[in-house]
Amino acid sequence: MSVEKIDYTKELNSEQLAAVTAPDGPLLVLAAAGTGKTRTLVYRVAYLAGRDVSPERILLLTFTNRAAKEMLERAHVLVGPGISGVWGGTFHHMSNRILRRHAPLLGYQRDFTILDRDDSKTLVSNCVKELGLSGKEFPKPDILLGLFGSAVNRATSVQKVVEAKFRDGDVDPDNVAKVHGQYEGRKKKLGAMDFDDLLVNCLKLFREKPEVLGPYQAQFLHVLVDEYQDTNPIQAELVDMLAARNRNVLVVGDDFQSIYSWRGADFRNIMSFPERYKDARIYKLETNYRSVPEILEVANACIAGNPLQYQKTLRATRSSHRKPLVLRMRDGGEQARCVVDQIRNLCRSGYRMSDIAVLYRAHYHAMELQMELARERMPYVITSGVRFFEQAHIKDVCSLLRLLENPSDEMAFMRLVGFLPGVGPKTAQKLWNEMGGRFDTNDSAQRMKLKSMLKSAAKELWLGVEPILETYRAEHLDEDGGEAIFRFVEAFYGRHAVNVFEDSERRLDDIRELILYTSRFDKVQNFLSDIALLTNLDAEAENLASGDGEVVRLSTVHQAKGLEWPAVIVLWMSEGMFPSARSMEESSEGEAEERRLFYVAVTRAKDELCLCVPEVRRTRDGGMMYYLPSRFIDEIPREMIKDVRAGFI
């Protein structure tokens, strides 16, 4: 199809047509979920080409290479090979392309090296050693790189990010800042940039070298930006600078789906666009092609509770179906069984396993469901790729229980002592051999012998763990594995996790959920046997799934954004779980972003939506904690849902 043959009035709905054929000038296209955002951008590129705008004068910025490739391929089908001159790609791709031309102005060669993650980790590790800060009590390179990246994306200092990350720890922000300074210096000396530097240095180039910025401002007659609500401060400033001369900037996004503040996305960029561009025209895409009307009614009702937003109302093009199901049950165990039943019911109704997704606010919300799916030999995959008991932090804390129960468990011993400073695999193996291939935690002589072999830094940390070994039998911790894990986390592992894992809070939440789960077992040995069995069943289910690809998808809502399924089940719609109590406490904007997250979860569903509302969670002492339904459930008008109790569907 050539540009001349495109009948835009037939190819687009009236909302899309208005945005695609809009006159020059700043344009804000608010594309609600499932309304054809990508189609609108592709046809805008075709429309510009039809107005004899040279492809090299069009800049199309996206957040993934896949998105850029898809849009340009679709534009190629519409317009033909002439469109290949469009500057299309991610912000990093554009920055790299510009820096390759002008890097000498910043003191780099044009053939500067881009460090991949492993290169950056090695360089940071070397900097830590050079400063004499290495040791298992100092944050690992992955953590440090995460902190440096967070500071860049939030346009703030490393010290502030460190203070927020380690507010309950003993990491000195000044030491981290020293590592950062050393790392920056080493990169410059090597003539190398990491991923974040591409954006930082491109912005620096534009700010400091107007003779470089000017020609690009002249070249790019039109700047188009996808997923604008996800831009960070640097990306937003790059867009504004490039569009400053011609002011033909079209940004497409949905403030309702701004859910990535934790990684630097700034909600204010899209909200302030009309303030920065006083003559901006605003177009809304509200005609939804994805979901049935009943699901869209719930989506509209839930998002209406946010005060600061561009009001939009999703309108369905599909015919009526059935109301979303709000399913109330007692606890997480009953929730897991109900979800399995729901999956079976959906399959009996003609859906395939791959048509079904189970979404949740946090990874640990799905622990009981994973175990129930394993017991039922129902194949599933997790978006993160790692099942609950296969995760490193879960294996870490379980290694303590394994060694307490089985003195001959070499792997548990090696894992446990491997946490200590100066104890690598070779040293751990030597210690095991010195123990005679058996470490009886109940044997004081063996405990003394191990202590005598540890270096001072390792010995100091081990002293925090030893009381658990001494009292395990005497205080009947062998009947309360959760208490043993709790003491281990308090004495050592909590601080260790913060220094080792970039997402330590999420992992510690997982461990807290594991502690609650152990309360249903009267013996640690029974708990260990159960999880070993479930891990084997998981492996069987994975083998079954590898055949035809028919598996249920488990995913956090964050990871599900941009995806869709015929049937969606959302777990733990209980106050404090979804919305997350921590998110609500940490930010004044927490409730608004949590509501947007719920909106994203709802709008992933095409035909069927089930919202699960457990009422009770176990506490660490074996008691019960009662939960109110999520405020997001209470905000849905009763007539929009089928509200039932488990067992009465």
Side-chain angles (χ1 to χ4, degrees), residues 560-576:
K561 185 175 176 292
L563 304 176
E564 60 185 46
W565 293 270
V568 168
I569 301 169
V570 186
L571 303 183
W572 276 110
M573 291 305 309
S574 307
E575 192 69 13

Side-chain angles (χ1 to χ4, degrees), residues 61-68 71 89-92 225-232 235 252 263 265:
L61 293 170
T62 64
F63 275 84
T64 65
N65 289 316
R66 181 180 59 80
M71 288 185 201
T90 64
F91 283 89
H92 294 87
V225 187
D226 186 24
E227 300 286 9
Y228 188 69
Q229 78 280 350
D230 293 335
T231 53
N232 64 30
Q235 291 161 334
V252 180
R263 68 183 189 196

